[in-house]
Amino acid sequence: MKALVYQGPGKKTLEERPKPDVAAPTDAIVKILKTTICGTDLHILKGDVPTCAPGRILGHEGVGVVDSVGAAVTAFKVGDRVVVSCISSCGKCDYCRRGMYSHCVNGGWILGNEIDGTQAEYVRTPFADTSLYHVPSGANEDALVMLSDILPTGFECGVLNGKVEPGSTVAIVGAGPIGLAALLTAQFYSPASIIMIDLDENRLQMSSRLGATSVINNRDGKAVEKVMQVTGGRGVDTAIEAVGVPASFLTCEDIVAPGGVIANIGVHGVKADLHLERLWDRNIAITTRLVDTVTTPMLLKTVQSRRIDPQQLITHRFKFDKILDAYDTFAAAAKTHALKVLIEA
Ligand SMILES: NC(=O)c1ccc[n+]([C@@H]2O[C@H](COP(=O)([O-])OP(=O)(O)OC[C@H]3O[C@@H](n4cnc5c(N)ncnc54)[C@H](O)[C@@H]3O)[C@@H](O)[C@H]2O)c1
Ligand SMILES: [Zn+2]
Ligand SMILES: [Zn+2]
């Protein structure tokens, strides 16, 4: 089969690999129909993710059809169409029983990281019963690819941890796919305002189309001032960090209102300053989270009923044998205006 393989920092190849086999009775082999590229794949390619060794097939998102199952798999059978979750959960360990699948001691975020991932014609998915989701008949499978990672990430790490409430004020720093997924799912709770902050005008225009009440371009470095103007000098109840650099975390520290929450989503590679000398008396909370994907079944229903339409985030399409072009397009997002690139069998 064809697969996209990480070859060490800065290097990737499209190459021929053997089709995977069931290795444990709880495994399923899924034939991938649609996959996509995540910002985290670019982090891996930069060498930021030491758990991902050269030789690894990348990818942790996708929709496919079950090709074979191990003897212990009962919830899925050959031919079932499935969403592959970016998180593999055994369903049995202490963390899984607490709904914290991201820290499953037998799984967690391993796909396209510690084990071969979804950017291939077939993928071996461990703990299939608790890590795959049935595609409802008649569903828009393009939209469902957004359920593997970005929708639960924006929702769980940003909206739920950030305690977005009816009438509240929200700012989302970073309007990439993750920030936009937070924007879409924050609207479940009818906040009074959602301010999107980015450096890219195209992403801010998309934010306005997807429901932002105001957008701020931080190219001039004046985002904090402008948020204060929009909020009558108060700041925001929820500041969602969806970039992963010190500057954007600092923006969140500067705009959070008394009693508010900073909900960090970004993957940080270097330290960010925590200004407790300014924050100690502001009754705030700071949360961090690796997506658990515990809300995937709920989000699937909201996509199915068209309460949200994540298909709007798909900007480009490629056939699988053009996946290297898909990477180039995705990596040059400022120029290509890419958000999510869909790669199809
Ligand atoms: N916690 C989790 O479980 C989890 C899961 C998936 C992804 N992530 C992380 O979430 C982050 C966002 O992912 P993405 O795919 O949307 O990334 P992305 O790179 O596509 O988007 C980031 C956006 O931030 C903007 N930006 C950069 N610096 C800024 C600044 N100072 N102020 C405002 N905007 C700024 C960029 O223009 C870009 O549009 C990444 O760090 C990713 O690794 C975390
Ligand atoms: Zn991801
Ligand atoms: Zn577990």
Side-chain angles (χ1 to χ4, degrees):
M1 66 169 189
K2 289 211 162 44
L4 190 284
V5 181
Y6 171 60
Q7 302 288 10
K11 286 179 281 181
K12 58 184 180 309
T13 49
L14 178 60
E15 60 182 56
E16 204 56 44
R17 280 294 189 90
K19 183 180 162 187
D21 287 323
V22 165
T26 46
D27 287 349
I29 306 299
V30 176
K31 179 180 185 354
I32 293 291
L33 301 174
K34 296 167 196 284
T35 183
T36 182
I37 306 169
C38 178
T40 306
D41 297 324
L42 301 184
H43 276 298
I44 293 174
L45 279 162
K46 277 190 214 141
D48 288 349
V49 183
T51 46
C52 184
R56 180 71 60 237
I57 300 174
L58 294 182
H60 50 264
E61 297 165 274
V63 165
V65 56
V66 174
D67 184 68
S68 60
V69 293
V73 175
T74 57
F76 297 90
K77 59 182 191 313
V78 173
D80 284 351
R81 294 178 93 90
V82 292
V83 176
V84 180
S85 176
C86 66
I87 301 291
S88 306
S89 74
C90 75
K92 293 178 178 167
C93 74
D94 190 39
Y95 285 117
C96 284
R97 297 299 293 262
R98 287 157 62 192
M100 211 194 283
Y101 304 160
S102 59
H103 290 272
C104 171
V105 297
N106 302 305
W109 176 44
I110 55 175
L111 215 54
N113 174 16
E114 294 173 33
I115 65 170
D116 285 337
T118 55
Q119 289 168 10
E121 288 178 78
Y122 294 86
V123 63
R124 181 180 72 85
T125 57
F127 312 115
D129 277 348
T130 39
S131 309
L132 298 176
Y133 297 89
H134 285 283
V135 171
S137 67
N140 173 352
E141 293 184 349
D142 295 357
L144 294 193
V145 177
M146 308 304 129
L147 277 169
S148 293
D149 178 353
I150 68 164
L151 281 178
T153 296
F155 183 60
E156 294 174 9
C157 311
V159 176
L160 288 184
N161 274 21
K163 296 196 162 61
V164 175
E165 288 180 356
S168 67
T169 309
V170 180
I172 301 172
V173 185
I178 299 284
L180 292 173
L183 169 62
L184 286 176
T185 55
Q187 293 167 67
F188 293 150
Y189 295 99
S190 305
S193 52
I194 310 179
I195 305 162
M196 293 295 291
I197 304 168
D198 203 289
L199 312 169
D200 179 322
E201 205 47 49
N202 174 62
R203 289 183 165 194
L204 290 172
Q205 280 171 19
M206 175 64 109
S207 304
S208 298
R209 287 200 291 279
L210 297 181
T213 53
S214 48
V215 297
I216 295 174
N217 193 321
N218 193 29
R219 276 205 175 281
D220 58 6
K222 293 192 174 155
V224 175
E225 237 171 86
K226 290 176 184 165
V227 169
M228 289 303 166
Q229 274 164 18
V230 180
T231 57
R234 221 181 123 260
V236 297
D237 301 312
T238 302
I240 296 175
E241 196 289 330
V243 187
V245 298
S248 49
F249 188 75
L250 201 59
T251 301
C252 292
E253 292 184 48
D254 288 337
I255 62 175
V256 66
V261 182
I262 298 174
N264 183 81
I265 311 180
V267 172
H268 290 263
V270 297
K271 82 176 175 76
D273 288 334
L274 175 59
H275 286 283
L276 278 176
E277 79 283 10
R278 296 205 294 265
L279 293 170
W280 71 269
D281 64 348
R282 295 179 72 80
N283 303 31
I284 64 147
I286 299 175
T287 63
T288 72
R289 188 169 184 173
L290 176 57
V291 62
D292 289 299
T293 67
V294 72
T295 61
T296 303
M298 180 285 278
L299 291 166
L300 215 159
K301 289 180 202 163
T302 65
V303 173
Q304 187 63 359
S305 65
R306 300 189 66 85
R307 297 292 297 177
I308 54 170
D309 180 13
Q311 164 134 31
Q312 298 171 87
L313 302 178
I314 300 170
T315 53
H316 295 78
R317 285 164 189 276
F318 297 87
K319 283 287 174 196
F320 190 78
D321 56 5
K322 297 280 184 239
I323 191 168
L324 292 171
D325 295 343
Y327 263 93
D328 290 342
T329 299
F330 183 69
K335 203 169 84 215
T336 60
H337 296 177
L339 280 167
K340 286 306 264 185
V341 299
L342 199 73
I343 299 146
E344 297 171 284

Coordinates of all heavy atoms in Angstrom, one line a residue, residues 26 85 87-108 110 126-133 292-294:
T26 N -8.2 -7.0 19.7 CA -9.0 -5.8 19.8 C -8.8 -4.8 18.7 O -9.3 -3.8 18.6 CB -8.7 -5.1 21.2 OG1 -7.3 -5.0 21.3 CG2 -9.3 -5.8 22.3
S85 N -10.8 7.9 15.5 CA -10.5 9.0 16.5 C -9.0 9.1 16.5 O -8.2 8.2 16.4 CB -11.0 8.6 17.8 OG -10.6 9.6 18.8
I87 N -7.5 9.7 19.1 CA -7.1 9.1 20.4 C -7.5 7.7 20.5 O -8.7 7.4 20.2 CB -7.7 9.9 21.6 CG1 -7.3 11.4 21.6 CG2 -7.4 9.2 22.9 CD1 -5.9 11.7 21.9
S88 N -6.6 6.8 20.8 CA -7.0 5.4 21.0 C -7.2 5.1 22.5 O -6.3 5.5 23.3 CB -5.8 4.4 20.5 OG -5.5 4.7 19.2
S89 N -8.3 4.5 22.8 CA -8.6 4.3 24.2 C -9.0 2.9 24.5 O -9.9 2.3 23.8 CB -9.7 5.3 24.7 OG -11.0 4.9 24.2
C90 N -8.4 2.3 25.5 CA -8.7 0.9 25.8 C -10.0 0.8 26.5 O -10.6 -0.3 26.5 CB -7.5 0.3 26.7 SG -7.6 0.9 28.5
G91 N -10.5 1.9 27.1 CA -11.8 1.8 27.7 C -11.8 1.2 29.1 O -12.9 1.1 29.8
K92 N -10.7 0.7 29.5 CA -10.6 -0.1 30.8 C -9.7 0.5 31.8 O -9.9 0.2 33.0 CB -10.1 -1.5 30.4 CG -11.1 -2.3 29.6 CD -10.6 -3.7 29.3 CE -11.7 -4.4 28.5 NZ -11.2 -5.6 27.9
C93 N -8.7 1.2 31.4 CA -7.8 1.7 32.4 C -8.4 2.8 33.3 O -9.5 3.3 33.0 CB -6.5 2.2 31.8 SG -6.6 3.8 30.9
D94 N -7.7 3.2 34.3 CA -8.3 4.2 35.3 C -8.6 5.5 34.5 O -9.7 6.1 34.7 CB -7.2 4.4 36.4 CG -7.7 5.2 37.5 OD1 -8.9 5.1 37.8 OD2 -7.0 6.1 38.0
Y95 N -7.7 6.0 33.7 CA -7.9 7.2 33.0 C -9.2 7.1 32.0 O -10.0 8.0 32.0 CB -6.7 7.7 32.2 CG -5.6 8.2 33.1 CD1 -4.4 7.6 33.2 CD2 -5.9 9.4 33.8 CE1 -3.4 8.1 34.0 CE2 -4.9 9.9 34.7 CZ -3.6 9.3 34.7 OH -2.7 9.8 35.6
C96 N -9.2 6.0 31.3 CA -10.4 5.8 30.4 C -11.7 5.8 31.2 O -12.7 6.4 30.8 CB -10.2 4.5 29.6 SG -9.1 4.6 28.2
R97 N -11.7 5.1 32.4 CA -12.9 5.0 33.2 C -13.3 6.4 33.7 O -14.5 6.6 34.0 CB -12.7 4.0 34.3 CG -12.5 2.6 33.9 CD -13.6 2.0 33.1 NE -14.8 1.8 33.8 CZ -15.2 0.7 34.4 NH1 -14.5 -0.4 34.2 NH2 -16.4 0.6 35.1
R98 N -12.3 7.3 33.7 CA -12.7 8.7 34.1 C -12.9 9.6 32.9 O -13.1 10.8 33.1 CB -11.5 9.3 34.9 CG -11.4 8.7 36.3 CD -9.9 8.9 36.9 NE -9.5 10.3 37.0 CZ -8.2 10.6 37.2 NH1 -7.3 9.7 37.3 NH2 -7.9 11.9 37.3
G99 N -13.0 9.0 31.7 CA -13.3 9.8 30.5 C -12.1 10.6 30.0 O -12.2 11.5 29.2
M100 N -10.9 10.2 30.6 CA -9.7 11.0 30.1 C -8.9 10.1 29.2 O -7.8 9.6 29.5 CB -8.9 11.3 31.4 CG -8.1 12.6 31.2 SD -6.8 12.8 32.5 CE -7.8 13.3 33.9
Y101 N -9.5 9.8 28.0 CA -9.0 8.9 27.0 C -7.6 9.3 26.6 O -6.8 8.5 26.2 CB -9.8 8.8 25.8 CG -11.3 8.4 26.0 CD1 -12.2 8.7 25.0 CD2 -11.7 7.7 27.2 CE1 -13.6 8.3 25.2 CE2 -13.0 7.4 27.4 CZ -13.9 7.7 26.4 OH -15.3 7.3 26.6
S102 N -7.3 10.7 26.6 CA -6.1 11.2 26.1 C -4.9 10.6 26.9 O -3.8 10.5 26.4 CB -6.0 12.7 26.2 OG -6.2 13.1 27.5
H103 N -5.2 10.2 28.1 CA -4.1 9.7 29.0 C -4.2 8.2 29.2 O -3.7 7.6 30.2 CB -4.0 10.5 30.3 CG -3.5 11.9 30.0 ND1 -2.1 12.1 30.0 CD2 -4.1 13.0 29.6 CE1 -2.0 13.4 29.7 NE2 -3.1 13.9 29.4
C104 N -5.0 7.5 28.4 CA -5.1 6.0 28.4 C -3.7 5.4 28.5 O -2.8 5.7 27.7 CB -5.8 5.5 27.1 SG -5.8 3.7 27.0
V105 N -3.5 4.6 29.5 CA -2.2 4.0 29.7 C -1.8 3.0 28.6 O -0.6 2.7 28.5 CB -2.0 3.4 31.1 CG1 -2.2 4.4 32.2 CG2 -3.0 2.2 31.3
N106 N -2.8 2.5 27.9 CA -2.5 1.6 26.8 C -2.6 2.2 25.4 O -2.4 1.6 24.4 CB -3.5 0.4 26.9 CG -3.4 -0.3 28.2 OD1 -2.4 -0.7 28.6 ND2 -4.6 -0.4 29.0
G107 N -3.1 3.5 25.4 CA -3.3 4.1 24.1 C -2.9 5.6 24.2 O -1.8 6.0 24.4
G108 N -4.0 6.4 24.1 CA -3.8 7.9 24.1 C -3.5 8.4 22.7 O -4.0 7.7 21.7
I110 N -1.5 8.0 20.1 CA -0.4 7.1 19.6 C -0.4 7.1 18.0 O 0.6 6.9 17.4 CB -0.4 5.7 20.2 CG1 -1.8 5.0 20.0 CG2 -0.1 5.7 21.6 CD1 -1.9 3.5 20.4
P126 N -5.9 0.2 17.1 CA -6.0 -0.6 18.3 C -7.3 -0.2 19.1 O -7.9 0.9 18.9 CB -4.8 -0.1 19.2 CG -4.0 0.8 18.3 CD -4.9 1.3 17.2
F127 N -7.8 -1.1 19.9 CA -9.0 -0.9 20.7 C -10.1 -0.4 19.9 O -10.8 0.7 20.2 CB -8.7 0.0 21.9 CG -7.5 -0.3 22.7 CD1 -6.4 0.5 22.7 CD2 -7.4 -1.5 23.3 CE1 -5.2 0.2 23.3 CE2 -6.2 -1.9 24.0 CZ -5.1 -1.0 24.0
A128 N -10.4 -1.1 18.8 CA -11.4 -0.6 17.8 C -12.7 -0.3 18.4 O -13.4 0.7 18.1 CB -11.5 -1.7 16.7
D129 N -13.2 -1.2 19.4 CA -14.6 -1.0 19.9 C -14.7 0.4 20.6 O -15.8 1.0 20.6 CB -14.9 -2.1 21.0 CG -15.4 -3.4 20.3 OD1 -15.7 -3.3 19.1 OD2 -15.4 -4.4 21.0
T130 N -13.6 0.9 21.2 CA -13.7 2.2 21.9 C -13.0 3.3 21.3 O -12.8 4.4 21.9 CB -13.2 1.9 23.4 OG1 -12.1 1.1 23.4 CG2 -14.3 1.3 24.3
S131 N -12.5 3.1 20.0 CA -11.7 4.2 19.4 C -12.2 4.5 18.0 O -11.7 5.4 17.4 CB -10.2 3.8 19.3 OG -9.8 3.4 20.6
L132 N -13.2 3.7 17.5 CA -13.8 4.0 16.2 C -15.3 4.4 16.5 O -15.8 4.1 17.5 CB -13.8 2.8 15.3 CG -12.5 2.2 14.9 CD1 -12.7 0.9 14.1 CD2 -11.7 3.2 14.1
Y133 N -15.9 5.2 15.5 CA -17.3 5.6 15.7 C -18.0 5.2 14.4 O -17.4 5.5 13.3 CB -17.4 7.1 15.9 CG -16.7 7.4 17.3 CD1 -15.3 7.7 17.3 CD2 -17.4 7.4 18.4 CE1 -14.7 8.0 18.6 CE2 -16.8 7.6 19.7 CZ -15.5 7.9 19.7 OH -14.9 8.1 20.9
D292 N -9.6 14.6 24.6 CA -9.9 13.3 25.1 C -10.8 12.6 24.1 O -10.9 11.4 24.1 CB -10.7 13.4 26.4 CG -9.7 13.8 27.5 OD1 -8.8 13.0 27.8 OD2 -9.9 14.9 28.1
T293 N -11.5 13.4 23.2 CA -12.4 12.9 22.2 C -13.6 12.2 22.9 O -14.3 11.4 22.3 CB -11.8 11.9 21.2 OG1 -11.4 10.7 21.8 CG2 -10.6 12.5 20.4
V294 N -13.9 12.6 24.1 CA -15.0 12.0 24.9 C -16.3 12.6 24.4 O -17.4 12.0 24.6 CB -14.7 12.2 26.4 CG1 -14.9 13.7 26.8 CG2 -15.5 11.3 27.2

